[in-house]
Amino acid sequence: MAAQSLLSESVLGWSIFAFVLLVILAFCWVYIRKFQSRQESEVVSTITAICALAIALITSALLPVDIFLVSFMKYPNGTYKDWAANNETRGQIEDTVLYGYYTLYSIILFCVFLWIPFVYFYYEERDDDNVNKCSQVKNALKYTIGFAIVCVVLLLIGAFVPLEAPPSQNSTQWEKVQYLFEELGSRHGLSALSFSISSLTLIGMLAVITYTAYGMSVLPLNLIKGTRSVVYERLENTEDIEDVEHQIEKLKAKCTDGRPLSSRDRNNLQELEDKLQVLRRRGRHLEIAETNCCTKVGSALRPFKILLGIFFILVALLFTVALFISNLDKALHSAGISSGFIIFGTNLTNPLNELLLALQPVFPLDYILITVITMYFVLTSMAGIRNMGIWFFWIRLYKIRPKRTRPQALLFLCMILLLIVLHTSYMIYSLAPQYVMYGSQKYFAQTPSEGPMSGNATSGTTKICDADAPGDQCTMTRSYLFLHKFWFFSTIYYFGNWVFIGVFLIGLVVSCCRGKKSVIEGEVEADDSDMSDDEYVH
């Protein structure tokens, strides 16, 4: 009976995970195909982008399974179920999840440090017409080796950073080296992998602060405000064209008698002709948008967009409040910087944490909510990237636009989204720490009975699992162990959360002050080529 119960509950959790896996693959295919350029579309870059994004989303989808398994080991009264009463059985179940994390995180390291860099530099070299295939591969491998060296360095640092007291100073050099190798072997490389993933998550935190925080404000407000009238924009664009043509005619009239234009007039003339070209291209795009059925459908769905925007802004405010309460709780009740601001349990009521704990016993409601949270972060991040573009400090590298994104930009996009989704796991912990650590586990705390008739009898109460619970009564999720292997990363994440809240509030103010966006926002810019119009039309 116990074996059947174990089998049925394990199959339920992994079946839902398999279904979500298929949904993730379908979403990634549609998402990448929507943005990739039709003229520069490449099979290898498309497959690479889809796989990289899917691996990141699948890793996040494993988190609810981890929480589900540790939670369903117990009854609501805090006692273990028959199939989970054995420590060995519980260890085997958690090891299954641990091996899943090992596999997915190893694939992420492979994507970030080998696969994506190689494909990216391969297509960078392809832009040079004088380079043959062998030279492309050779040059791409040369640049990729640099990324591989960084990966090896991170793994070595993570493997040999001692988390326990090292041998005494009187030990020989051989004993110290032997200690390091024993540490590496005893942890099965967990620290090495955790350090490397935490380093990538740190970069993901910067991407979340830059793109996600801004996207969480700009996406809902754009849905609420809508776009400008395409008819009014066409009329305004026509007037601008006539005005520029009139200025060009005035400048050209100065040289009708054969006198050359001054250098200043020649520069002005060139600028006006470039501006006229952009306005004419803008007029073609507006004409297409006016007759496009998608524009008409979008106008009909305007009430739905407003409701969706209101929902998104409420979710964003809920996340911000939950994150603020969680950070405040850590500031007031944690052991401080030296502990990574780690806190066991919750001392302040966190709305999102309470919601997840309430939904967790009714599986898969919490799984659905975590999936929605992950996809919300992806959508808001994409909104931020699309509005800002991909930048390296003050240099704009790529634009992200539907049907017109270059293969290199797609790879950059998926790299950023992969890092963002990696940081999502810690964001979810920050939003709901109790849920991520123990799920809905409870334990039975025994207390001696009082009174003359009680004798040696004991009574007890059921409590939610926290740091005060006996070690054999509560099982931590493997995700939590990965996230908090090194305290200094947790400290950086803590301060990063405060910066995230500040950037979100600034972005919210900026988005509120901006007017409605154009119906062809981002489609026409001065540095675009005329060939991009042909791609857009077709």
Side-chain angles (χ1 to χ4, degrees):
M1 186 65 182
Q4 291 180 349
S5 178
L6 169 61
L7 180 63
S8 62
E9 292 179 354
S10 298
V11 167
L12 175 61
W14 288 108
S15 297
I16 301 268
F17 178 76
F19 173 75
V20 173
L21 171 62
L22 295 176
V23 173
I24 286 174
L25 290 174
F27 169 80
C28 292
W29 185 84
V30 173
Y31 198 76
I32 298 301
R33 292 289 294 173
K34 175 186 176 182
F35 283 93
Q36 72 175 170
S37 171
R38 296 296 182 263
Q39 289 184 342
E40 300 182 73
S41 174
E42 296 291 344
V43 175
V44 176
S45 65
T46 301
I47 294 175
T48 300
I50 291 173
C51 292
L53 184 57
I55 287 296
L57 294 177
I58 291 168
T59 304
S60 293
L62 190 59
L63 174 63
V65 173
D66 188 7
I67 297 169
F68 166 75
L69 290 176
V70 299
S71 298
F72 269 64
M73 291 179 182
K74 287 193 161 190
Y75 290 110
N77 62 4
T79 59
Y80 281 108
K81 296 181 179 179
D82 295 337
W83 57 267
N86 192 322
N87 287 332
E88 184 178 348
T89 303
R90 295 199 300 271
Q92 290 175 352
I93 295 173
E94 283 302 298
D95 284 344
T96 303
V97 178
L98 181 63
Y99 295 145
Y101 277 116
Y102 270 136
T103 303
L104 291 172
Y105 283 148
S106 298
I107 294 174
I108 287 175
L109 290 179
F110 173 74
C111 289
V112 171
F113 290 107
L114 294 175
W115 189 7
I116 293 179
F118 174 79
V119 176
Y120 175 83
F121 289 115
Y122 177 82
Y123 284 106
E124 279 292 296
E125 293 294 324
R126 187 177 178 178
D127 290 342
D128 189 351
D129 297 333
N130 298 324
V131 178
N132 55 37
K133 292 285 185 182
C134 292
S135 298
Q136 282 181 249
V137 174
K138 187 186 299 182
N139 291 333
L141 284 173
K142 180 175 64 176
Y143 292 119
T144 306
I145 288 173
F147 284 84
I149 292 174
V150 173
C151 180
V152 171
V153 170
L154 291 176
L155 288 172
L156 289 176
I157 292 174
F160 292 109
V161 168
L163 298 180
E164 298 177 2
S168 63
Q169 296 296 327
N170 296 328
S171 302
T172 63
Q173 290 296 324
W174 168 248
E175 289 175 339
K176 294 179 180 179
V177 172
Q178 188 178 19
Y179 162 76
L180 289 176
F181 278 99
E182 287 175 354
E183 279 288 292
L184 176 62
S186 64
R187 289 177 285 176
H188 307 290
L190 174 62
S191 295
L193 188 59
S194 177
F195 186 87
S196 302
I197 292 298
S198 296
S199 300
L200 294 181
T201 304
L202 194 62
I203 303 174
M205 181 192 74
L206 300 178
V208 166
I209 292 172
T210 304
Y211 294 113
T212 310
Y214 178 63
M216 283 174 61
S217 61
V218 72
L219 176 62
L221 289 178
N222 281 345
L223 288 171
I224 293 172
K225 291 187 291 188
T227 58
R228 300 172 62 191
S229 169
V230 65
V231 176
Y232 177 78
E233 281 198 77
R234 284 196 66 188
L235 179 62
E236 188 181 60
N237 190 75
T238 302
E239 292 175 352
D240 290 341
I241 290 175
E242 293 175 354
D243 181 59
V244 172
E245 288 177 341
H246 178 66
Q247 294 181 50
I248 291 175
E249 289 175 0
K250 285 179 63 178
L251 283 174
K252 288 183 176 180
K254 292 182 179 181
C255 60
T256 53
D257 56 355
R259 289 182 302 173
L261 292 173
S262 65
S263 60
R264 179 180 178 181
D265 287 338
R266 285 198 303 270
N267 291 335
N268 290 338
L269 181 60
Q270 183 63 47
E271 290 177 1
L272 289 172
E273 287 177 346
D274 292 341
K275 184 178 180 180
L276 180 62
Q277 185 180 10
V278 172
L279 288 172
R280 286 173 176 170
R281 290 177 48 237
R282 182 178 175 83
R284 291 197 297 270
H285 281 249
L286 287 171
E287 183 179 355
I288 294 171
E290 187 175 12
T291 58
N292 194 345
C293 61
C294 292
T295 305
K296 298 177 181 178
V297 172
S299 300
L301 295 177
R302 185 83 187 93
F304 174 75
K305 288 184 176 180
I306 294 175
L307 292 176
L308 189 61
I310 294 173
F311 171 74
F312 278 172
I313 198 66
L314 291 176
V315 171
L317 292 174
L318 173 63
F319 285 175
T320 306
V321 170
L323 192 60
F324 175 80
I325 292 175
S326 178
N327 262 26
L328 183 63
D329 197 3
K330 292 177 182 178
L332 296 176
H333 302 104
S334 71
I337 293 179
S338 60
S339 67
F341 291 98
I342 295 175
I343 188 170
F344 299 94
T346 55
N347 300 283
L348 302 177
T349 302
N350 188 319
L352 192 59
N353 188 78
E354 297 299 322
L355 178 61
L356 283 166
L357 288 175
L359 294 179
Q360 205 281 331
V362 191
F363 189 81
L365 291 183
D366 65 319
Y367 200 102
I368 295 172
L369 182 57
I370 289 295
T371 304
V372 169
I373 291 174
T374 303
M375 299 312 297
Y376 177 81
F377 277 125
V378 171
L379 292 175
T380 53
S381 302
M382 190 61 240
I385 295 173
R386 185 178 176 185
N387 278 269
M388 298 175 63
I390 298 175
W391 293 75
F392 182 75
F393 292 103
W394 58 88
I395 302 173
R396 189 177 192 178
L397 299 179
Y398 297 106
K399 305 170 189 174
I400 306 297
R401 292 177 291 181
K403 301 180 181 179
R404 303 169 68 191
T405 306
R406 299 184 62 195
Q408 295 95 322
L410 269 182
L411 294 172
F412 248 109
L413 166 67
C414 288
M415 177 80 82
I416 293 173
L417 290 177
L418 188 149
L419 296 173
I420 286 174
V421 173
L422 272 182
H423 188 66
T424 299
S425 296
Y426 185 82
M427 288 290 290
I428 295 175
Y429 164 75
S430 299
L431 295 170
Q434 178 70 27
Y435 174 81
V436 173
M437 286 177 63
Y438 295 108
S440 61
Q441 289 181 88
K442 297 179 180 179
Y443 71 99
F444 188 76
Q446 293 184 346
T447 55
S449 299
E450 298 180 358
M453 302 299 295
S454 59
N456 294 328
T458 59
S459 62
T461 57
T462 301
K463 297 183 178 180
I464 296 176
C465 283
D466 54 20
D468 297 328
D472 60 343
Q473 289 297 312
C474 295
T475 306
M476 280 190 183
T477 60
R478 291 300 180 261
S479 173
Y480 178 82
L481 297 177
F482 262 104
L483 289 172
H484 298 90
K485 197 71 177 176
F486 300 92
W487 65 267
F488 44 85
F489 282 116
S490 299
T491 301
I492 298 173
Y493 297 152
Y494 167 79
F495 289 109
N497 286 342
W498 286 116
V499 178
F500 175 86
I501 294 173
V503 172
F504 166 73
L505 294 177
I506 293 173
L508 189 63
V509 173
V510 171
S511 300
C512 289
C513 295
R514 295 180 63 182
K516 292 182 178 181
K517 67 176 184 178
S518 171
V519 72
I520 56 168
E521 182 77 18
E523 292 180 8
V524 179
E525 295 187 18
D527 56 349
D528 289 338
S529 65
D530 289 332
M531 291 179 63
S532 62
D533 273 358
D534 298 332
E535 181 177 6
Y536 180 80
V537 171
H538 296 295

